[in-house]
Amino acid sequence: TGDTAYDRKLGITVTSEKLTTKNITLIAFAIVLAVIINGVSNIAMREDLKDSIFELSEDTMTIQEELDLLIDEVKGEMTLPQMIDDNTELYDLGTGDMRLIYYYQFPNYKLDELNIDYFLEALRTDLKVTQLEYYCKNESMLWYRMNDIAVVYRYSSADDLVVGENIHYSWECL
């Protein structure tokens, strides 16, 4: 007996550790790295899909329908969820209202275990700049920009509460 809980079934000590500034910095770096890696993998997938999507788009589908189809195909090529680092997971991609949505989660931390202020500051500054640069300059994002598809990066805690999000629009690239 001590000041930590002990799980008798598993024989492990259970601790609850706050997400520190150092950990959040590492997470932010890993997320930036994940965005870049995700883009590289999307380039390979998008090349195969590009011709079929552009052929379909000529007369038969709305932009939203094309987006839905494209993301369904991309998700079929990906393995989700993907651990980005020890604390961050890309668990889904989605669409809605002319938006591509990346869903990230901190699976090891409930909302009350996160340093929310520090994370939101990183989200508004470093992550926002990196994400926007990727959206505006990466060839794999051209179709989204040309069709005014916004890109959303949404982050949630282990207890499925939204921690924050960034939204990027094509007009920001001008």
Side-chain angles (χ1 to χ4, degrees):
T1 39
D3 59 356
T4 59
Y6 185 77
D7 188 319
R8 294 180 196 277
K9 289 182 185 175
L10 297 176
I12 58 171
T13 302
V14 180
T15 60
S16 177
E17 193 179 299
K18 286 275 188 189
L19 191 56
T20 64
T21 302
K22 179 182 175 187
N23 287 346
I24 288 178
T25 302
L26 290 172
I27 289 170
F29 176 74
I31 290 171
V32 168
L33 195 58
V35 167
I36 293 167
I37 291 169
N38 211 5
V40 170
S41 67
N42 281 347
I43 290 171
M45 288 185 282
R46 295 230 348 107
E47 290 304 316
D48 292 340
L49 301 174
K50 192 185 294 183
D51 292 336
S52 63
I53 293 295
F54 281 124
E55 288 170 10
L56 288 173
S57 68
E58 290 179 2
D59 296 315
T60 60
M61 300 176 80
T62 66
I63 299 297
Q64 183 64 51
E65 290 169 334
E66 290 179 50
L67 176 62
D68 294 341
L69 177 64
L70 177 63
I71 297 310
D72 284 345
E73 289 185 32
V74 168
K75 284 173 59 173
E77 298 287 326
M78 294 179 73
T79 302
L80 291 173
Q82 287 184 12
M83 287 305 292
I84 305 306
D85 62 26
D86 290 340
N87 297 307
T88 313
E89 174 183 78
L90 172 63
Y91 70 93
D92 201 6
L93 298 174
T95 63
D97 196 27
M98 298 294 285
R99 294 178 179 187
L100 162 61
I101 308 167
Y102 291 95
Y103 292 97
Y104 291 96
Q105 185 176 52
F106 303 119
N108 303 323
Y109 300 98
K110 292 184 178 180
L111 186 64
D112 64 349
E113 297 172 324
L114 294 167
N115 182 338
I116 299 296
D117 293 333
Y118 185 81
F119 175 74
L120 291 177
E121 181 62 25
L123 193 62
R124 282 188 296 267
T125 57
D126 299 335
L127 286 173
K128 186 171 185 87
V129 167
T130 303
Q131 292 166 349
L132 184 60
E133 184 174 313
Y134 176 79
Y135 178 61
C136 293
K137 295 182 179 180
N138 194 291
E139 179 67 27
S140 70
M141 301 303 285
L142 178 62
W143 183 85
Y144 302 99
R145 293 190 310 268
M146 286 176 33
N147 289 290
D148 294 320
I149 305 294
V151 178
V152 179
Y153 297 86
R154 185 170 296 155
Y155 303 88
S156 62
S157 59
D159 44 358
D160 293 323
L161 299 171
V162 174
V163 177
E165 70 179 21
N166 279 336
I167 303 174
H168 303 287
Y169 301 93
S170 59
W171 55 264
E172 293 177 273
C173 298
L174 303 175

